[in-house]
Amino acid sequence: MTIRNEYKQLKKENDLIFSTLAECDRDTITGIVNTINNTRGINYEVELVRKDLIAMAASAEADGQYLPAVIGDVDAFKRDLLASMPQPKLIDYMLDSLVWLCLFGLAVSLTHLLLGGPWDCYYDAAMLGICIVVMMPSAWLLQRLVPSAWLTADKGGLYGAAQAAVLVVWFVLFILLYRWVYPALPNIGVPNVIATALFAVITLVLRGWRTRRYNQLADARPWRDVVDTKKQ
């Protein structure tokens, strides 16, 4: 399977071209991308949108214009862009987050393997379970249900309040985990060698699956119509 447009490479290319744009275009793109990023959990999707906006700004500057003049009403453009993008799917949100969690688990287990110290893997497993069962789905649900109007400049505080409420729930859950669940867990851990191998295999499998989803997304890019309309 060809790994096309991987997130890090795409971001590196975007950053290179982004640095050559005029300051007002950089500020406009940053504002639009931040709005999209607040309601989309998939970094790769956001970076694809950023790539199209950068190309749009570069084309405008080549014609002696700036991006705000081409876009017009920036808030209206944000709403149209968000409406054109597919709602985040739970599977994609979980894949994106699980890859990072497994990489963290791999780093921790490998560190303990090299240092020869014990690892409270049963506690980490409980925290990972809460992340999978509670944190990721609730964050995805918040992003899926939030109205686009909450993300505009005049109502941005509503979305911030919703995020704060979710964070409070997470904080309470972690306190309960530490005070009640952790002491009751059996003092049994997976050997470091097995844990390292397990996290390595799971990470490779998840990255391969995520890459496949990335490639499907790169082929679709449904927001292109909104961008192309403004170019005309």
Side-chain angles (χ1 to χ4, degrees), residues 17-29 57-58 61 65-67:
I17 305 175
F18 183 78
S19 64
T20 66
L21 298 177
E23 183 177 359
C24 67
D25 284 347
R26 295 199 303 269
D27 291 342
T28 302
I29 292 174
E61 291 185 13
Q65 302 184 68
Y66 294 108
L67 189 58

Side-chain angles (χ1 to χ4, degrees), residues 180-225:
W180 302 105
V181 178
Y182 179 46
L185 290 174
N187 191 15
I188 300 173
V190 179
N192 291 335
V193 174
I194 297 178
T196 301
L198 185 62
F199 274 118
V201 171
I202 294 176
T203 300
L204 289 175
V205 171
L206 288 176
R207 281 181 60 86
W209 190 6
R210 187 182 65 171
T211 297
R212 180 174 177 272
R213 303 286 299 187
Y214 279 179
N215 292 342
Q216 293 174 348
L217 183 62
D219 291 335
R221 299 173 85 164
W223 57 85
R224 271 287 180 86
D225 290 341

Side-chain angles (χ1 to χ4, degrees), residues 75-90:
D75 281 340
F77 179 78
K78 289 178 183 178
R79 289 193 293 270
D80 292 341
L81 202 58
L82 286 170
S84 70
M85 298 175 68
Q87 290 287 350
K89 295 181 179 180
L90 180 58

Side-chain angles (χ1 to χ4, degrees), residues 74-222:
V74 177
D75 281 340
F77 179 78
K78 289 178 183 178
R79 289 193 293 270
D80 292 341
L81 202 58
L82 286 170
S84 70
M85 298 175 68
Q87 290 287 350
K89 295 181 179 180
L90 180 58
I91 183 63
D92 293 318
Y93 192 86
M94 295 284 280
L95 278 174
D96 209 44
S97 302
L98 282 174
V99 167
W100 290 108
L101 285 173
C102 287
L103 283 173
F104 173 76
L106 177 60
V108 172
S109 59
L110 183 60
T111 300
H112 284 84
L113 174 63
L114 296 176
L115 296 179
W119 175 38
D120 294 336
C121 60
Y122 47 93
Y123 176 58
D124 290 346
M127 295 189 67
L128 179 60
I130 281 191
C131 289
I132 295 173
V133 175
V134 178
M135 293 181 65
M136 295 179 196
S138 61
W140 165 80
L141 191 62
L142 176 65
Q143 293 180 351
R144 187 174 180 84
L145 296 181
V146 62
S148 298
W150 287 19
L151 300 170
T152 57
D154 56 333
K155 295 184 178 181
L158 293 174
Y159 183 66
Q163 285 181 312
V166 173
L167 289 174
V168 169
V169 173
W170 291 354
F171 183 71
V172 171
L173 284 174
F174 277 116
I175 291 178
L176 294 176
L177 173 69
Y178 185 78
R179 293 189 61 181
W180 302 105
V181 178
Y182 179 46
L185 290 174
N187 191 15
I188 300 173
V190 179
N192 291 335
V193 174
I194 297 178
T196 301
L198 185 62
F199 274 118
V201 171
I202 294 176
T203 300
L204 289 175
V205 171
L206 288 176
R207 281 181 60 86
W209 190 6
R210 187 182 65 171
T211 297
R212 180 174 177 272
R213 303 286 299 187
Y214 279 179
N215 292 342
Q216 293 174 348
L217 183 62
D219 291 335
R221 299 173 85 164

